[in-house]
Amino acid sequence: MRRVLGAVAITAGVVLGMQGCLPFGSDREERTVEYGVSGQVRELVVETENGGAVVAGGGDSVRVSEKWRWKGSEPSATHEVKDGVLTLRYSCEACGIGYTVHVPSSVKVRVKAENGGARLSGLAGEVDASVENGGVEATGLTGPKVRMHADNGGVKAEFTAAPAEVEATVGNGGVQLKVPAGEAYAVDARAKVGGTAVGIPSQAGAAHRLTARAETGGVSVGAV
């Protein structure tokens, strides 16, 4: 099986996406807003156009840090808890907000970012992360169901417990998945450009299903 050529650039794509998407210039303004969220939160939703999101699991409370940058009018940002779902979003013309959120590990996480990557760590709930430019990088995942998509920037994910279902799809940038050895996985790995490398046995009908597909950049699936 051919070795992956494009997947080595995945991490760099995520890092650059977090830093390079906000307004520049001497007249740019910025500030940091930090707060805790009371009440029970079972699901986190982050929607950002520019700035990206970092979500870390652990502890028993929710803490949010928002990095605001703008020109002209500052962002109109909201955070709301409804039926156990915390939603973070904002609107503006020339601005960006980068979110850093600490949540209990069991919280379900959904991230939608246009420009700016998503970094996830220590999460045991379901994950759904979609990024247009910037990529997705995840470590220490133990959740049963994970979906990750990046148009540009790649997907790199490492699991410390065998997931029931993973779907990782990329336009440009490659996919790299690492899962615990010793489990039976049904692997569907495909790349139009860049090749595929599967370093674990694939067993049809296995309880753990891994789907990894890339248009450009290659696909790598291996053991931790």
Side-chain angles (χ1 to χ4, degrees):
M1 189 170 291
R2 291 182 297 167
R3 293 189 61 82
V4 177
L5 301 179
V8 296
I10 294 172
T11 303
V14 174
V15 173
L16 291 174
M18 295 294 295
Q19 297 174 346
C21 57
L22 299 179
F24 292 96
S26 59
D27 58 342
R28 182 186 69 188
E29 299 183 74
E30 61 181 67
R31 68 184 173 113
T32 299
V33 178
E34 298 182 339
Y35 52 90
V37 177
S38 60
Q40 183 178 15
V41 174
R42 59 177 177 78
E43 182 175 345
L44 168 68
V45 177
V46 181
E47 298 178 357
T48 176
E49 293 184 10
N50 298 298
V54 176
V55 182
D60 55 7
S61 62
V62 178
R63 294 287 305 174
V64 182
S65 177
E66 301 177 354
K67 182 67 173 182
W68 296 24
R69 296 181 182 174
W70 72 93
K71 290 182 179 180
S73 300
E74 68 178 31
S76 175
T78 61
H79 60 274
E80 177 186 25
V81 179
K82 184 176 181 180
D83 298 327
V85 180
L86 169 61
T87 302
L88 308 177
R89 59 165 61 102
Y90 69 94
S91 61
C92 59
E93 293 186 2
C95 78
I97 293 181
Y99 292 95
T100 299
V101 189
H102 294 268
V103 298
S105 59
S106 61
V107 169
K108 179 179 179 179
V109 174
R110 289 191 290 152
V111 176
K112 184 177 181 181
E114 291 188 16
N115 299 296
R119 291 182 185 171
L120 314 171
S121 63
L123 299 175
E126 293 186 10
V127 172
D128 188 340
S130 180
V131 173
E132 290 190 18
N133 298 296
V136 180
E137 182 177 4
T139 58
L141 299 183
T142 59
K145 187 173 183 179
V146 174
R147 176 187 175 274
M148 296 167 288
H149 173 78
D151 287 343
N152 297 291
V155 167
K156 182 178 181 181
E158 182 176 311
F159 295 79
T160 54
E165 183 178 351
V166 175
E167 180 181 332
T169 57
V170 166
N172 299 297
V175 175
Q176 186 179 91
L177 301 179
K178 290 188 177 182
V179 294
E183 300 286 348
Y185 297 93
V187 182
D188 180 0
R190 306 179 191 180
K192 287 188 177 180
V193 178
T196 61
V198 179
I200 58 175
S202 179
Q203 178 179 322
H208 305 284
R209 300 186 301 276
L210 308 178
T211 301
R213 297 179 181 175
E215 293 289 323
T216 302
V219 169
S220 172
V221 180
V224 176

